[in-house]
Amino acid sequence: MSPLETVNPLDNLYDMYPKSLKYLFLGLLALNMSPLSGQSDEAAALNLMQERLIDSYSEFSNPIVARNHMEALDANGRFEGLSYRGLSDYQEHIERTSLMVQVYYQSMGNLTGDPDLYAAAVSALDRWLTDDYIDSNWWWTYIGFPKDLVPVTSLMGRELRTTHPAVYQKLINYHYRIHDYFLRNPHGWGANVADMGYLAAVGAVVDRRASKLTSIVEDSFEEVLKVIPHGDNSDGIRIDQTIFSHGPQLYNATYGREFLNSSIRAIDLLKDTPWDQGEEAVSLVENQLLGGIRNMSYGSWMDYNTTGRAISRPGSDELAVGFTSIIKTLLELEPEHPGQLSALLTRIEEDAVEVHESAKGIHNFYYGDFLTRHGDGYYTSVRMVSERTSYNEAGNGEGLKNAHFGDGVNLTLVHGDEYDKMSVLWDYEQLPGITAEHNGTETKGNAWADMGKSPYAGNATRNELAVSAMGLEHDDVLGWKSWFMLEEGVVALGSRIRSPEGSRRTSPWMPVVSTVNFTKFEDSVSYGSDDAESGTLTVGEETNLDGRNWVWHRDIGYLILEESGIAEAAVEARSGNWSEIGTSSGRVEGNAFKLYFDHGAEPENGGYAYMTLPNTDKARTQTLAENPPMEILRRDEGVHAVKVKSDGTVLAAFFKGGETLQLAESGSVTVEEPILMLIERTSGLYDITVSDPRKALDSVILTLSGELEGEGAVYDATSESTTIEMELPSGNRTGASVTQRLKDTGDPAGEWGAYFQDISYSNEDMDFFSERFGWFNGEDWPWLWSFEYEKFWFVVGASNGGDSMIWWDPDQEAWVFTNSIFYPWYYNFRSQDWGAFSVPS
């Protein structure tokens, strides 16, 4: 008989049911235990949580290995073959002890309940607690070792309290001192506090100390399980789903995972008890998984920009796998979007690149100077730093070449394996997207969150468009860098790239290089000029590209848009060792393709212009090389701007105030401050989107040529221009984008009069009509013209409340009726039947 069966007569019944039903049963038991047995609600809840811990850490372990460990234990509780002189030996000791405990308490096996195994496990545990090894890295002492100890405490604590009270008290005190240590020496917030809170809470639950548990929960989870407000530099989750750790450092992949893991374990443990953290805590974890992790990953790969020093660990190319257990636990807690979470789980487990429809699009992490996009069959991201954010760290012997991880890293994936093992094979001064001097300064020692120096870095986004830009100021290299996310791909511009002059420098000047991509090589690289193919590259070959050229490799096309620097493409045999970037070892070899601009040594005004076309074939690359889908309006030290040829949309990064950008032959915009901007113009309307890359402004003033109407717009007849002041987001949304719509009275379409956005609706789809339909004329009202449907619509109801429409559909030769409440269903008066019509994209 298992010792657990002698402790609680309900255990056999409990083990017959799946976890979700067990929790329901135990929850009802906890609520009703007090009147039935005389126990308090807190005592019943502690029983419930004790059973949850046992259920969480009960798993099969190998009895043969456990017997070997038992036989290797001496009379002093030490294992033969371990020197007990450092971290690795004490790690091994607690892991062996934990395995013996797991085997002893597992539901079946020839050592289940074996008294000799129990005695050996107690002896090994007592020795470990008595030696109390304190590592030079505080994390091992107060987080790492206690994590390894949790299964032992959860499974063994109840019985140990009776059989070996002295050992039991040492064990519980070990957990309590974690909380005491935190109160004396808080190490930031985020993952560390969540870890310490959960580890201390386990001790309080096993010890049945309600007052202690209350103190731990109040000091940890009630402080951590919340969105960190703007202006607070504590580690944790921001409203844009950025997770900061070790300062304002993007760390969703690893410290973020630890934060979510301990948080969800605590939420699960405390659910339906007096310490329940509530629906808000569940939502916090769910929002981070769907708004953060999902948007920063592709297949099982987590964006290297979010991994910190963990990029130097083997397995860094599949870090998203670490979130699967978190998702599974969350799915048992009634999240709001179980379908999306299940899709994310499947995508990670199957390493599939397809994403849920709700995940597609551009994701603006404005706190972290970071932007990602899930397109149709591809993923891309841009990572910058500013004086408000930091580079990926190095420390504890890891991340040794992270010096440039933040200088504009632009990663692009189609197949999902583009950067597998590239963390070992990369030249870290040629990371994809960055501009850096090739001088060997990628190596770092301990550099915990080195801050950027430029105040300028950020994103402006609207729908499927985005502009990102930064002021580069790092390692004796200055310049302006920008990225424009368009329907076809990403345009990247660089200007005024230079190395400062001065006699202070003693080392020789080396070439400054802007890298387009540096990725795993397969098959061959094709290249050419306009629509003609010039040749291919394989391992050991390279070529120079001048003027308008194109390159294609593994379903990613590259267009060289202007003659700016010397563009070079090469395929190299690469090799490296994990020990060169971290604490692991092992040689890695592979072939890599890289495309880059060489600006030469000590450049004074270097630049580049290229476009990346993800998930495209060679023929499409050639076609767009001959006729690019956009034109560059400006690329200088004042402004970077491009215009989409298909609809005239302009995307711009203004690096200086007082700059004027010509939008078309007869249109221009002038800004008073450095901003990021998108201007979309359709049917006499301007949709103007702006953001502040310096995160310092309350508002921005723009002056556009022509007479425009809209909120805050002031027309000057003398200059024939309109000035508008746009209020910028503040508080937690500082740095986010804001859009305002203006009407161009000089546009021919303006004869239709007022824009339909003035009509209000009382349902969730109130924006449907204002976005889908165009203009009405006051004399002809209630008729209006829909630019998207290219039909006249008849509005039923008053001008400030009509939400029903009737129109003649020539395709059906019938009058059709719809209402905003049941749209997109419509009623056909001819057939007297209901149908559904598609919504324009």
Side-chain angles (χ1 to χ4, degrees):
M1 178 182 293
S2 167
L4 290 184
E5 295 173 4
T6 66
V7 176
N8 190 339
L10 297 171
D11 280 347
N12 287 337
L13 177 63
Y14 176 81
D15 288 335
M16 293 171 59
Y17 297 97
K19 185 175 180 182
S20 58
L21 292 181
K22 291 185 210 177
Y23 282 3
L24 175 61
F25 172 73
L26 288 168
L28 295 173
L29 178 65
L31 293 174
N32 291 282
M33 190 172 288
S34 179
L36 291 175
S37 63
Q39 294 189 20
S40 68
D41 289 343
E42 288 184 343
L46 289 167
N47 280 341
L48 170 63
M49 290 185 286
Q50 173 74 74
E51 297 297 338
R52 285 174 172 168
L53 287 173
I54 292 171
D55 187 57
S56 295
Y57 296 105
S58 295
E59 59 182 43
F60 178 79
S61 296
N62 194 323
I64 297 175
V65 177
R67 185 177 294 280
N68 292 338
H69 292 338
M70 180 173 61
E71 294 174 352
L73 200 70
D74 65 21
N76 295 315
R78 292 190 175 96
F79 294 102
E80 296 176 0
L82 298 182
S83 65
Y84 293 92
R85 294 179 180 175
L87 174 63
S88 60
D89 286 335
Y90 280 96
Q91 282 180 281
E92 181 66 22
H93 182 103
I94 194 61
E95 288 173 4
R96 293 183 184 184
T97 303
S98 181
L99 186 142
M100 290 193 297
V101 171
Q102 293 276 7
V103 169
Y104 177 75
Y105 285 103
Q106 62 192 19
S107 59
M108 58 190 305
N110 57 10
L111 287 181
T112 298
D114 184 274
D116 293 333
L117 180 61
Y118 181 80
V122 172
S123 177
L125 176 61
D126 188 30
R127 171 50 53 197
W128 196 82
L129 292 168
T130 301
D131 287 356
D132 193 18
Y133 171 74
I134 304 295
D135 192 70
S136 58
N137 182 346
W138 74 271
W139 185 90
W140 279 107
T141 304
Y142 294 100
I143 294 181
F145 286 148
K147 279 188 175 182
D148 293 335
L149 196 63
V150 162
V152 175
T153 307
S154 300
L155 296 173
M156 195 181 215
R158 187 161 57 183
E159 185 172 3
L160 192 65
R161 183 173 190 164
T162 301
T163 62
H164 297 79
V167 178
Y168 169 83
Q169 199 57 55
K170 290 181 188 177
L171 177 62
I172 295 303
N173 289 342
Y174 194 92
H175 283 273
Y176 286 161
R177 81 175 185 182
I178 298 168
H179 182 231
D180 296 337
Y181 175 79
F182 165 69
L183 293 177
R184 296 193 313 272
N185 305 281
H187 280 268
W189 294 95
N192 290 339
V193 176
D195 281 344
M196 288 189 281
Y198 176 70
L199 297 170
V202 168
V205 169
V206 172
D207 198 33
R208 303 181 61 77
R209 288 274 301 278
S211 60
K212 187 70 173 179
L213 181 59
T214 298
S215 176
I216 291 168
V217 170
E218 289 177 349
D219 292 335
S220 53
F221 299 109
E222 293 186 4
E223 291 297 321
V224 172
L225 292 176
K226 61 184 181 182
V227 172
I228 305 298
H230 178 70
D232 187 334
N233 287 327
S234 300
D235 293 4
I237 296 177
R238 267 62 185 170
I239 197 170
D240 70 340
Q241 303 309 322
T242 296
I243 292 184
F244 282 160
S245 291
H246 295 182
Q249 179 182 184
L250 193 60
Y251 236 136
N252 291 63
T254 46
Y255 274 102
R257 181 195 63 216
E258 292 304 305
F259 172 82
L260 295 182
N261 185 57
S262 288
S263 295
I264 200 66
R265 283 182 176 274
I267 293 167
D268 190 33
L269 177 65
L270 302 172
K271 185 175 175 60
D272 297 327
T273 74
W275 301 275
D276 193 319
Q277 293 301 291
E279 295 180 0
E280 295 82 3
V282 175
S283 294
L284 185 85
V285 176
E286 181 178 13
N287 291 340
Q288 168 54 206
L289 286 169
L290 295 179
I293 304 308
R294 179 173 65 172
N295 297 335
M296 299 175 177
S297 61
Y298 193 63
S300 62
W301 177 84
M302 276 295 298
D303 197 307
Y304 286 147
N305 289 296
T306 71
T307 64
R309 66 183 193 274
I311 192 174
S312 59
R313 301 170 189 170
S316 58
D317 51 13
E318 52 181 8
L319 285 175
V321 173
F323 293 91
T324 56
S325 62
I326 299 171
I327 299 172
K328 290 176 181 177
T329 301
L330 180 60
L331 283 169
E332 297 181 355
L333 297 174
E334 299 182 359
E336 184 178 355
H337 304 286
Q340 294 185 37
L341 288 166
S342 296
L344 175 60
L345 178 63
T346 300
R347 189 251 283 177
I348 294 174
E349 290 183 329
E350 297 181 359
D351 193 19
V353 298
E354 294 82 6
V355 299
H356 194 275
E357 193 66 28
S358 61
K360 290 183 178 179
I362 290 172
H363 311 287
N364 184 0
F365 301 97
Y366 45 88
Y367 270 95
D369 296 332
F370 185 50
L371 185 82
T372 72
R373 180 179 195 166
H374 278 284
D376 288 328
Y378 71 90
Y379 171 92
T380 189
S381 66
V382 175
R383 166 81 187 289
M384 305 165 288
V385 293
S386 66
E387 61 185 13
R388 301 170 301 276
T389 52
S390 70
Y391 290 88
N392 282 14
E393 69 185 8
N396 295 338
E398 295 183 309
L400 298 182
K401 294 188 178 182
N402 275 351
H404 292 290
F405 241 108
D407 283 337
V409 178
N410 177 205
L411 304 176
T412 305
L413 297 93
V414 173
H415 302 281
D417 64 350
E418 278 80 356
Y419 302 111
D420 284 5
K421 303 300 186 293
M422 290 304 298
S423 54
V424 183
L425 301 178
W426 264 330
D427 177 340
Y428 274 75
E429 289 175 331
Q430 287 193 267
L431 294 172
I434 75 167
T435 298
E437 185 180 10
H438 210 268
N439 57 17
T441 58
E442 81 279 10
T443 302
K444 306 174 74 170
N446 276 356
W448 302 98
D450 285 348
M451 300 293 290
K453 296 180 179 180
S454 172
Y456 192 108
N459 314 300
T461 63
R462 174 172 159 82
N463 299 328
E464 295 299 310
L465 299 172
V467 52
S468 303
M470 69 178 293
L472 177 64
E473 188 176 343
H474 190 211
D475 190 31
D476 289 335
V477 177
L478 305 175
W480 296 107
K481 297 171 67 69
S482 63
W483 298 262
F484 302 88
M485 299 245 177
L486 310 178
E487 180 181 356
E488 296 281 2
V490 182
V491 176
L493 304 181
S495 67
R496 194 72 172 95
I497 295 170
R498 61 203 185 279
S499 297
E501 300 176 357
S503 59
R504 62 180 176 80
R505 184 169 180 142
T506 58
S507 60
W509 292 97
M510 302 298 290
V512 173
V513 174
S514 294
T515 304
V516 179
N517 208 351
F518 198 147
T519 183
K520 175 181 176 181
F521 169 78
E522 285 188 6
D523 302 324
S524 65
V525 175
S526 300
Y527 64 93
S529 178
D530 292 335
D531 63 344
E533 182 170 349
S534 302
T536 60
L537 299 177
T538 187
V539 180
E541 298 178 339
E542 60 182 341
T543 188
N544 291 341
L545 302 165
D546 298 317
R548 177 165 291 167
N549 283 266
W550 59 266
V551 181
W552 182 85
H553 175 237
R554 293 194 73 202
D555 300 317
I556 301 177
Y558 307 90
L559 309 182
I560 309 302
L561 297 174
E562 292 182 347
E563 293 188 22
S564 49
I566 301 174
E568 299 185 18
V571 180
E572 301 175 341
R574 306 281 300 177
S575 64
N577 197 303
W578 287 104
S579 62
E580 297 170 0
I581 59 174
T583 58
S584 300
S585 62
R587 193 137 199 94
V588 176
E589 296 182 348
N591 298 322
F593 158 67
K594 65 179 180 180
L595 178 62
Y596 61 97
F597 291 86
D598 186 345
H599 306 295
E602 206 171 354
E604 296 182 359
N605 192 26
Y608 58 82
Y610 64 87
M611 185 172 189
T612 303
L613 309 169
N615 195 23
T616 194
D617 57 24
K618 183 163 57 176
R620 182 63 174 162
T621 301
Q622 292 174 293
T623 298
L624 293 180
E626 187 176 17
N627 183 23
M630 40 60 63
E631 64 173 297
I632 298 172
L633 298 181
R634 281 182 64 179
R635 183 179 62 82
D636 51 50
E637 62 181 322
V639 181
H640 287 179
V642 301
K643 181 166 71 172
V644 180
K645 291 180 179 179
S646 61
D647 60 11
T649 295
V650 173
L651 302 88
F654 291 86
F655 302 121
K656 299 178 181 179
E659 292 285 341
T660 297
L661 175 65
Q662 199 72 24
L663 304 175
E665 292 182 4
S666 59
S668 66
V669 59
T670 302
V671 302
E672 292 194 2
E673 298 281 353
I675 63 168
L676 299 171
M677 175 186 293
L678 295 86
I679 299 182
E680 302 164 85
R681 189 180 184 205
T682 55
S683 304
L685 301 175
Y686 281 103
D687 283 320
I688 302 176
T689 301
V690 298
S691 73
D692 175 18
R694 298 177 301 166
K695 299 178 176 62
L697 301 174
D698 296 323
S699 62
V700 61
I701 297 175
L702 315 174
T703 301
L704 294 97
S705 56
E707 184 176 359
L708 307 177
E709 292 180 351
E711 184 178 353
V714 178
Y715 177 64
D716 184 342
T718 302
S719 62
E720 296 184 343
S721 64
T722 301
T723 299
I724 179 172
E725 183 173 6
M726 294 180 63
E727 186 175 336
L728 294 169
S730 59
N732 281 351
R733 299 195 69 251
T734 298
S737 304
V738 62
T739 300
Q740 186 158 333
R741 174 166 282 169
L742 300 174
K743 175 180 175 294
D744 185 354
T745 60
D747 190 283
E751 66 188 21
W752 275 96
Y755 185 62
F756 199 55
Q757 65 181 358
D758 296 331
I759 293 184
S760 61
Y761 297 92
S762 59
N763 58 75
E764 294 180 356
D765 294 326
M766 61 178 295
D767 289 336
F768 168 78
F769 289 113
S770 64
E771 293 293 333
R772 292 287 181 259
F773 302 103
W775 304 90
F776 67 85
N777 183 298
E779 295 180 357
D780 296 334
W781 175 264
W783 290 95
L784 66 92
W785 173 253
S786 164
F787 291 103
E788 292 205 44
Y789 285 100
E790 296 184 349
K791 295 182 176 72
F792 279 96
W793 295 68
F794 180 84
V795 182
V796 180
S799 62
N800 286 317
D803 61 353
S804 299
M805 292 192 176
I806 301 174
W807 77 98
W808 174 260
D809 191 320
D811 296 331
Q812 301 188 59
E813 296 184 343
W815 284 92
V816 179
F817 163 86
T818 190
N819 183 285
S820 64
I821 297 176
F822 49 71
Y823 179 85
W825 291 94
Y826 64 83
Y827 183 78
N828 185 308
F829 288 93
R830 180 178 182 180
S831 64
Q832 297 185 3
D833 199 3
W834 290 89
F837 52 86
S838 61
V839 180
S841 59

